[in-house]
């Protein structure tokens, strides 16, 4: 029974991916269950398409900027939430933990559209606004990763020992907390980058024609050749899969 359910779930999960990979090297796919013929032309066309190359670079810029902003924000936020929760003030930590599920990304996008599409703040469609939206959207994922690691490591005892030796709060943070969170920070940033590169809803509403990200351009490709769209999707899938594997391996390597 369990094996059968696992098999069905595996097929449900992997079959669309397998079809995309077959379609990316298929010659013609129109009104048939599977494409006819094989070709590598779709990947060559994708490489030569300037709009996809530009969108790919835009996605990388947005993802890297979101990682940099989140590094500055998430470390002190998780540290403050950890100590706040230990003192009985865990409400803020629970709110931040629930944000990725409780607050849909589309809510953030509509809020930004209302605020930044005015004469006072006419920044809708700009790259800085898109980066800010991605940073806010992915911040809970990184802060949750760090907060979970802080709870798992139980650094409170080490901090108390350092405090008895005369270490200041800043010295405890830089000498104990930061080195201990190194791996979870890296794995969390890899996850943030993967989420940002594959994010579509917020980007589609906030981006302009000049700053379109890879998933936004990818949607338009499906209105053209199916094989071309499948090849573009496979590239995005490879990037997300590599990021997930890298993040997972970093967590496993933790002593």
């Amino acid at each position: 029974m369990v094996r059968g359910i696992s098999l069905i779930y595996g097929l449900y999960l992997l079959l669309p991916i397998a079809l995309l990979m077959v379609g990316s090297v298929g010659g013609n796919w129109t009104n048939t269950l599977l494409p006819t013929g094989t070709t590598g032309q779709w990947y060559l066309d994708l490489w030569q398409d300037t709009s996809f190359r530009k969108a790919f670079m835009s996605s990388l810029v947005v993802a890297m900027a979101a990682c940099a902003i989140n590094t500055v924000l998430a470390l002190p936020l998780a540290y403050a939430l950890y100590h706040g929760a230990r003192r009985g003030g865990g409400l803020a930590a629970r709110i931040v933990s629930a944000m990725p599920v409780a607050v849909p990304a589309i809510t953030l996008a509509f809020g930004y559209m209302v605020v930044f599409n005015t004469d006072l703040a006419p920044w809708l469609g700009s790259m800085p606004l898109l980066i800010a939206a991605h940073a806010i959207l992915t911040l809970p994922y990184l802060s949750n990763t760090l907060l979970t690691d802080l709870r798992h490591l139980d650094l409170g005892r080490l901090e108390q020992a350092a405090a008895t030796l005369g270490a200041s709060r800043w010295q405890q943070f830089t000498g104990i907390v930061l080195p201990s969170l190194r791996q979870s920070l890296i794995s969390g940033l890899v996850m943030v980058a993967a989420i940002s590169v594959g994010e579509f809803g917020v980007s589609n509403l906030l981006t302009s024609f000049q700053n379109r990200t890879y998933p936004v351009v990818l949607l338009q490709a499906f209105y053209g050749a199916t094989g071309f769209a499948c090849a573009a999707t496979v590239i995005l899938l490879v990037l997300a899969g590599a990021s997930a594997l890298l993040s997972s391996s970093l967590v496993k390597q933790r002593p």
Side-chain angles (χ1 to χ4, degrees):
M1 180 68 177
V2 175
R3 182 175 298 178
I5 293 175
S6 300
L7 180 61
I8 293 173
Y9 177 74
L11 288 174
Y12 175 77
L13 186 67
L14 297 177
L15 189 58
I17 298 175
L19 286 175
L20 284 172
M21 298 184 75
V22 171
S24 69
V25 293
N28 184 31
W29 198 357
T30 305
N31 297 326
T32 57
L33 180 61
L34 293 173
T36 56
T38 57
T39 179
Q41 186 64 37
W42 303 124
Y43 286 99
L44 182 61
D45 291 345
L46 183 64
W47 174 254
Q48 294 174 341
D49 193 310
T50 56
S51 63
F52 267 88
R53 291 208 304 269
K54 186 177 180 181
F56 186 76
M57 291 306 300
S58 294
S59 288
L60 288 182
V61 169
V62 172
M64 293 302 102
C67 285
I69 294 172
N70 278 352
T71 302
V72 176
L73 296 179
L75 276 169
L77 175 63
Y79 189 60
L81 290 174
Y82 170 67
H83 280 285
R86 290 180 65 218
R87 289 193 294 266
L91 178 61
R94 288 196 293 272
I95 291 175
V96 171
S97 300
M99 279 183 65
V101 178
V103 181
I106 200 72
T107 305
L108 174 68
F110 281 133
Y112 271 51
M113 289 176 67
V114 171
V115 174
F116 296 106
N117 193 27
T118 61
D119 294 335
L120 185 62
W123 302 326
L124 184 63
S126 66
M127 180 62 87
L129 182 64
L130 185 61
I131 291 173
H134 276 239
I136 295 299
L137 180 68
T138 53
L139 178 62
Y141 293 94
L142 181 58
S143 58
N144 274 336
T145 302
L146 297 174
L147 187 58
T148 302
D149 207 22
L150 279 168
R151 289 168 173 163
H152 173 71
L153 294 171
D154 193 19
L155 297 178
R157 288 177 296 177
L158 291 177
E159 290 179 292
Q160 289 175 3
T164 58
L165 296 174
S168 64
R169 277 285 187 186
W170 176 250
Q171 289 173 323
Q172 295 172 33
F173 182 72
T174 56
I176 298 174
V177 177
L178 286 183
S180 301
L181 294 179
R182 185 176 63 253
Q183 281 190 305
S184 58
L185 176 63
I186 295 173
S187 63
L189 287 176
V190 172
M191 181 173 60
V192 165
I195 294 173
S196 177
V197 168
E199 202 286 325
F200 172 76
V202 170
S203 301
N204 190 43
L205 292 175
L206 298 183
T207 191
S208 66
F209 183 80
Q210 295 296 326
N211 301 323
R212 290 182 302 172
T213 58
Y214 194 89
V216 175
V217 180
L218 176 60
L219 175 66
Q220 299 168 5
F222 274 95
Y223 294 107
T226 304
F228 183 81
C230 288
T233 308
V234 168
I235 297 298
L236 186 63
L237 182 64
V238 169
L239 285 175
S243 300
L245 288 175
L246 178 60
S247 178
S248 176
S249 63
L250 287 172
V251 172
K252 288 181 178 178
Q253 289 174 6
R254 187 181 186 86

